[in-house]
Amino acid sequence: MTLKTLGTALLAAGLLTSVGLAQAETVRWARSADVTTLDPHVFNTGTNFVLMHQMYETLVNRSADGKLVPTLALSWKMTSDPTVWEFKLRPNVKFHDGTPFTAKDVVFSLNRAKGPNAQVKSLLASMEEVKALDDLTVQVKTKGPNLIFPDNLTNLFIMSEKWSKANGAADTQDAASKTENGATRAENGTGPYVLASREVDSKTVMKLNPNYWGKGQAPLQVTELVFLPIKSPATRVAALLSGEVDFAQDIPAQDVARLKQDSKLRINEGPENRSIFLAMNVSVPELKSSNVKGKNPFADLKVRQAVELAIDRDAIKRSVMRGLSIPTGMMAPSFVNGYDKAMAAYPKADVAKSKALLAEAGYPNGFTVTLHSPNDRYVNDEAISTAVAGFLGRVGIKTEVSSRPIAQHSVAIVKAESDFYLYGWGVPTYDSAYIFDFLVASRGKEGRGAQNATGYSNAELDNKIISLSSESDKAKRDATIKDIWQTVNKERFYIPLHDQVIHFASVKKINVPVHPDNAIHFKDVKFVK
Amino acid sequence: MLVHLLRRLGQSVLVLLAVSFISFMVFRHIGDPTISLLGEDATLEEREALTEELGFNKSVPLQYLHYVGKVLQGDLGISYRLKRPVADIIFERLPATLELALTAAFFALAIGIVLGVYTALRKDGFLSRAIMTVSLVGVSLPTFLIGIGLIYLFAVELRWLPSFGRGETVNIGGWETGLLTSSGLAALIMPAITLGFYNMTLIMRLVRAEMLEVLRSDYIRFGRARGLKERDLYFGHALRNTLIPVITIAGLQIGSLIAFAIVTETVFQWPGVGLLFISSIQGVDVPLIAAYLMFIALLYVVINLFVDFLYVLVDPRLRRATP
């Protein structure tokens, strides 16, 4: 190349860059917490997943209406053997470092995500083996037929085998390891954005991937993405009002009404994939926090029904949630497989009937109990508990609220130390089995029931729950789900209160649709002229 | 003198051990790290296995001895939350906190002394009384309210200053500084005022009281009788004598500025060790919390040792009194 052509090339490159700059559309995106590590398999938390989705990709993904959409897999089907799923991969995809994406990377990533130190391994509990048939075909063998296996893959990110091994990131780190691994602070995904810089708790900058396979398929209008964690809710809202950020998540409920009135802002709203409920310990012979000795009032179904009838869900929505909740009688949001409108109907609060039931159960004067509540996890969690205590007081159940950070609350749940508690649950698989496995199955049965601190145990129900993981007939499986829900709703050891509502606040010029998982795919975000 | 210092050194080591032990006892009540490490949907078996592996099933004194043993070998462990070596993380975040604390200290000292002298000299003036009243309000307002108030006024309404973050930083020999860029300086103003406000009022009141005291003393009156200029009297003689206790207090307060930067850093998303500490508590990141508490204790101990040492240098009586 002569000097002259080199000069021309440089000039052209310069011109191209300036053209690129003229079209650059930056979105500054704020939310309450930073991701902890960039290693996509270490933690099973929504906050981490949302950021990962910009840089890494999964085989399948979930659209805002809850449907599975092809991503790195073009198609998937159950083979003639019902325990084997086959995925056809997208050709001509490259990782950010230029290495081509192949079936080997999928095999590597799924095995890595199933490793002992990967939190996401619970999503792959049913995977027996994964193997590559050719460069673009992967087969997964499951332990028994698993109808919903692909639903588990929406947050299982695909890493490059070559890159991971070269950077000491072949496995996720264990808690005691002496050094960090190569994926903690760097990424090499196939996604629409490439990491440009990262400062923990401060900012993470991502640039549009110039070689992204989805050019022409997705709008890709956001060319630069700046992720800004802002812990203090007041500061986060202030940053949006002052124009320092363009889009904010985790908006405090009390600010939503005010932000909606701001003509410079756009507030999008939609149901979240998370139900909030009360849980009662039905199995201990005597409650720790109650004045009733020698027996457990919650063991009596009449008492549990009385508790439900004392609670005014509409009042909680109106006064505590400022209208921002969806009251329900079922512990599953509407887009979860198994949701039933009839079962989600809830009774109106009825003090007289509640008192009558308590008297029938032998507690005409009520009893005392402590309600354990988190205070930093769900929307207005502590205020909901305080309201519940007020409602129960009306029927004679003197309830003391004991609130604590989720870090302590969840310990008590795992150890089943509470008599009565507020809790919430999201369903990443969009299938009721995920709720049953953790909240309904007997504690400790085949690794299930880890979050069931109610002590409720029903062998017949357990068998039905276990059967869901290997039932290959969809109609039969759905019937079993319905059957389980009927028992759960009748037994009332959980009292569903409401589903949370998500708010996305942005400047007028961008429109970010609300996703039930609080997820955003910035490649799909469009600027409004 | 050597004995005196050695004894103080011994006491400091005891303080550090006590702090580390107390913080270790506290860990039992902040939650279970296995939940943040494994996630909410881990099985009970997985939890038990990890508890075993990390030694959380051992008695607290045993866990503590194990920890102290590792720290003495220079191993602070890996952060559970960030999956990186704790020492690296703390040293990366320290510059932000130090710059904030020192700027706040400078602001508190400069404004505090000026206002203190002014309110002492114009004791009954309208402006003086107004300053004193405002300072009372300032002392009783919590830090986060001052911060949010400033953000509302200067970021949301006037749009002069950024509401969060540190602005652009420049790396100089491993030290990330925001002091050399205009956005970095702009970002520093509100957090520094917020953090330094309490100390500013404290210094102002101290200077005022000392100054009033000194102005009443004989040598000022003699000086005035000899016909010295008021300016020389106030700033040459009175102020110099006023400043000795102020400097002592200010020195000790620097430690507290660093330690109490937690609230200010949270309000302004200032990426220092205080914000790191709060995030670590929420994530039950035991190795990081332990290291931070030890660090703050060490800081206090070193500052106190330094002050003691200065006393010995300055005051000859101390040198003689020690055997």
mmCIF file of all heavy atoms in Angstrom, chain B residues 203 206-207 210 214 239-252 311:
data_model
loop_
_atom_site.group_PDB
_atom_site.id
_atom_site.type_symbol
_atom_site.label_atom_id
_atom_site.label_comp_id
_atom_site.label_asym_id
_atom_site.label_seq_id
_atom_site.Cartn_x
_atom_site.Cartn_y
_atom_site.Cartn_z
ATOM 1 N N ILE B 203 -16.234 23.074 63.971
ATOM 2 C CA ILE B 203 -15.019 23.890 63.997
ATOM 3 C C ILE B 203 -15.370 25.359 64.170
ATOM 4 O O ILE B 203 -14.744 26.086 64.937
ATOM 5 C CB ILE B 203 -14.189 23.648 62.714
ATOM 6 C CG1 ILE B 203 -13.566 22.252 62.787
ATOM 7 C CG2 ILE B 203 -13.121 24.704 62.528
ATOM 8 C CD1 ILE B 203 -12.991 21.756 61.496
ATOM 9 N N LEU B 206 -16.186 25.965 67.728
ATOM 10 C CA LEU B 206 -14.966 25.851 68.539
ATOM 11 C C LEU B 206 -14.110 27.102 68.389
ATOM 12 O O LEU B 206 -13.652 27.686 69.378
ATOM 13 C CB LEU B 206 -14.201 24.609 68.079
ATOM 14 C CG LEU B 206 -13.048 24.161 68.952
ATOM 15 C CD1 LEU B 206 -13.589 23.573 70.236
ATOM 16 C CD2 LEU B 206 -12.196 23.126 68.225
ATOM 17 N N VAL B 207 -13.905 27.523 67.139
ATOM 18 C CA VAL B 207 -13.091 28.707 66.878
ATOM 19 C C VAL B 207 -13.712 29.922 67.556
ATOM 20 O O VAL B 207 -13.029 30.721 68.195
ATOM 21 C CB VAL B 207 -12.949 28.951 65.350
ATOM 22 C CG1 VAL B 207 -12.363 30.325 65.073
ATOM 23 C CG2 VAL B 207 -12.086 27.877 64.737
ATOM 24 N N GLU B 210 -13.193 29.698 71.391
ATOM 25 C CA GLU B 210 -11.780 29.909 71.743
ATOM 26 C C GLU B 210 -11.389 31.360 71.521
ATOM 27 O O GLU B 210 -10.695 31.964 72.324
ATOM 28 C CB GLU B 210 -10.884 28.997 70.883
ATOM 29 C CG GLU B 210 -10.940 27.536 71.280
ATOM 30 C CD GLU B 210 -10.180 27.248 72.570
ATOM 31 O OE1 GLU B 210 -9.205 27.969 72.852
ATOM 32 O OE2 GLU B 210 -10.597 26.339 73.307
ATOM 33 N N VAL B 214 -9.882 33.964 74.094
ATOM 34 C CA VAL B 214 -8.575 34.601 73.930
ATOM 35 C C VAL B 214 -8.706 36.117 73.932
ATOM 36 O O VAL B 214 -7.890 36.831 74.525
ATOM 37 C CB VAL B 214 -7.911 34.108 72.621
ATOM 38 C CG1 VAL B 214 -6.664 34.910 72.306
ATOM 39 C CG2 VAL B 214 -7.567 32.632 72.733
ATOM 40 N N LEU B 239 -5.783 34.711 66.802
ATOM 41 C CA LEU B 239 -6.117 33.561 65.965
ATOM 42 C C LEU B 239 -5.098 32.442 66.147
ATOM 43 O O LEU B 239 -5.450 31.267 66.247
ATOM 44 C CB LEU B 239 -6.198 34.003 64.496
ATOM 45 C CG LEU B 239 -6.653 32.913 63.531
ATOM 46 C CD1 LEU B 239 -8.024 32.384 63.913
ATOM 47 C CD2 LEU B 239 -6.683 33.419 62.093
ATOM 48 N N ARG B 240 -3.803 32.812 66.193
ATOM 49 C CA ARG B 240 -2.772 31.777 66.305
ATOM 50 C C ARG B 240 -2.994 30.920 67.548
ATOM 51 O O ARG B 240 -2.918 29.704 67.515
ATOM 52 C CB ARG B 240 -1.398 32.443 66.358
ATOM 53 C CG ARG B 240 -0.281 31.432 66.342
ATOM 54 C CD ARG B 240 1.057 32.072 66.279
ATOM 55 N NE ARG B 240 1.240 32.854 65.047
ATOM 56 C CZ ARG B 240 2.318 33.593 64.835
ATOM 57 N NH1 ARG B 240 3.263 33.680 65.734
ATOM 58 N NH2 ARG B 240 2.455 34.260 63.707
ATOM 59 N N ASN B 241 -3.313 31.565 68.654
ATOM 60 C CA ASN B 241 -3.538 30.805 69.887
ATOM 61 C C ASN B 241 -4.845 30.023 69.855
ATOM 62 O O ASN B 241 -4.990 29.004 70.527
ATOM 63 C CB ASN B 241 -3.516 31.748 71.086
ATOM 64 C CG ASN B 241 -2.106 32.140 71.423
ATOM 65 O OD1 ASN B 241 -1.226 31.303 71.525
ATOM 66 N ND2 ASN B 241 -1.884 33.442 71.554
ATOM 67 N N THR B 242 -5.772 30.522 69.070
ATOM 68 C CA THR B 242 -7.048 29.823 68.957
ATOM 69 C C THR B 242 -6.883 28.494 68.215
ATOM 70 O O THR B 242 -7.563 27.518 68.505
ATOM 71 C CB THR B 242 -8.043 30.712 68.170
ATOM 72 O OG1 THR B 242 -8.192 31.923 68.887
ATOM 73 C CG2 THR B 242 -9.377 30.040 68.010
ATOM 74 N N LEU B 243 -5.961 28.468 67.264
ATOM 75 C CA LEU B 243 -5.914 27.347 66.319
ATOM 76 C C LEU B 243 -5.334 26.051 66.886
ATOM 77 O O LEU B 243 -5.571 24.990 66.331
ATOM 78 C CB LEU B 243 -5.131 27.751 65.071
ATOM 79 C CG LEU B 243 -5.892 28.716 64.149
ATOM 80 C CD1 LEU B 243 -5.120 28.961 62.884
ATOM 81 C CD2 LEU B 243 -7.278 28.163 63.823
ATOM 82 N N ILE B 244 -4.585 26.138 67.980
ATOM 83 C CA ILE B 244 -3.936 24.916 68.482
ATOM 84 C C ILE B 244 -4.953 23.819 68.813
ATOM 85 O O ILE B 244 -4.864 22.703 68.278
ATOM 86 C CB ILE B 244 -3.022 25.240 69.677
ATOM 87 C CG1 ILE B 244 -1.859 26.106 69.159
ATOM 88 C CG2 ILE B 244 -2.474 23.964 70.317
ATOM 89 C CD1 ILE B 244 -1.041 26.736 70.250
ATOM 90 N N PRO B 245 -5.962 24.111 69.646
ATOM 91 C CA PRO B 245 -6.952 23.044 69.892
ATOM 92 C C PRO B 245 -7.733 22.673 68.632
ATOM 93 O O PRO B 245 -8.127 21.516 68.458
ATOM 94 C CB PRO B 245 -7.877 23.641 70.951
ATOM 95 C CG PRO B 245 -7.678 25.108 70.870
ATOM 96 C CD PRO B 245 -6.274 25.328 70.419
ATOM 97 N N VAL B 246 -7.945 23.642 67.757
ATOM 98 C CA VAL B 246 -8.711 23.362 66.538
ATOM 99 C C VAL B 246 -7.996 22.326 65.687
ATOM 100 O O VAL B 246 -8.608 21.392 65.158
ATOM 101 C CB VAL B 246 -8.922 24.666 65.730
ATOM 102 C CG1 VAL B 246 -9.515 24.352 64.357
ATOM 103 C CG2 VAL B 246 -9.826 25.615 66.491
ATOM 104 N N ILE B 247 -6.663 22.465 65.590
ATOM 105 C CA ILE B 247 -5.908 21.533 64.755
ATOM 106 C C ILE B 247 -5.964 20.117 65.337
ATOM 107 O O ILE B 247 -6.117 19.136 64.615
ATOM 108 C CB ILE B 247 -4.467 22.038 64.580
ATOM 109 C CG1 ILE B 247 -4.490 23.225 63.609
ATOM 110 C CG2 ILE B 247 -3.549 20.935 64.052
ATOM 111 C CD1 ILE B 247 -3.227 24.020 63.559
ATOM 112 N N THR B 248 -5.896 20.025 66.648
ATOM 113 C CA THR B 248 -6.009 18.710 67.288
ATOM 114 C C THR B 248 -7.328 18.048 66.936
ATOM 115 O O THR B 248 -7.386 16.896 66.491
ATOM 116 C CB THR B 248 -5.941 18.858 68.829
ATOM 117 O OG1 THR B 248 -4.881 19.740 69.137
ATOM 118 C CG2 THR B 248 -5.762 17.527 69.479
ATOM 119 N N ILE B 249 -8.408 18.813 67.121
ATOM 120 C CA ILE B 249 -9.738 18.272 66.838
ATOM 121 C C ILE B 249 -9.846 17.885 65.366
ATOM 122 O O ILE B 249 -10.304 16.796 65.015
ATOM 123 C CB ILE B 249 -10.821 19.331 67.162
ATOM 124 C CG1 ILE B 249 -10.846 19.624 68.658
ATOM 125 C CG2 ILE B 249 -12.183 18.887 66.663
ATOM 126 C CD1 ILE B 249 -11.561 18.593 69.466
ATOM 127 N N ALA B 250 -9.384 18.784 64.491
ATOM 128 C CA ALA B 250 -9.511 18.530 63.060
ATOM 129 C C ALA B 250 -8.778 17.247 62.677
ATOM 130 O O ALA B 250 -9.280 16.443 61.891
ATOM 131 C CB ALA B 250 -8.971 19.710 62.266
ATOM 132 N N GLY B 251 -7.597 17.036 63.260
ATOM 133 C CA GLY B 251 -6.837 15.824 62.966
ATOM 134 C C GLY B 251 -7.630 14.581 63.316
ATOM 135 O O GLY B 251 -7.735 13.645 62.527
ATOM 136 N N LEU B 252 -8.230 14.609 64.488
ATOM 137 C CA LEU B 252 -8.997 13.440 64.917
ATOM 138 C C LEU B 252 -10.240 13.247 64.059
ATOM 139 O O LEU B 252 -10.699 12.124 63.843
ATOM 140 C CB LEU B 252 -9.400 13.590 66.386
ATOM 141 C CG LEU B 252 -8.239 13.428 67.367
ATOM 142 C CD1 LEU B 252 -8.694 13.702 68.790
ATOM 143 C CD2 LEU B 252 -7.658 12.025 67.260
ATOM 144 N N TYR B 311 2.130 14.973 70.370
ATOM 145 C CA TYR B 311 2.070 15.556 71.710
ATOM 146 C C TYR B 311 3.413 15.435 72.387
ATOM 147 O O TYR B 311 3.930 16.374 72.973
ATOM 148 C CB TYR B 311 1.014 14.837 72.561
ATOM 149 C CG TYR B 311 -0.397 15.265 72.293
ATOM 150 C CD1 TYR B 311 -1.469 14.514 72.751
ATOM 151 C CD2 TYR B 311 -0.667 16.441 71.588
ATOM 152 C CE1 TYR B 311 -2.771 14.900 72.509
ATOM 153 C CE2 TYR B 311 -1.967 16.838 71.343
ATOM 154 C CZ TYR B 311 -3.008 16.064 71.802
ATOM 155 O OH TYR B 311 -4.291 16.443 71.567
#
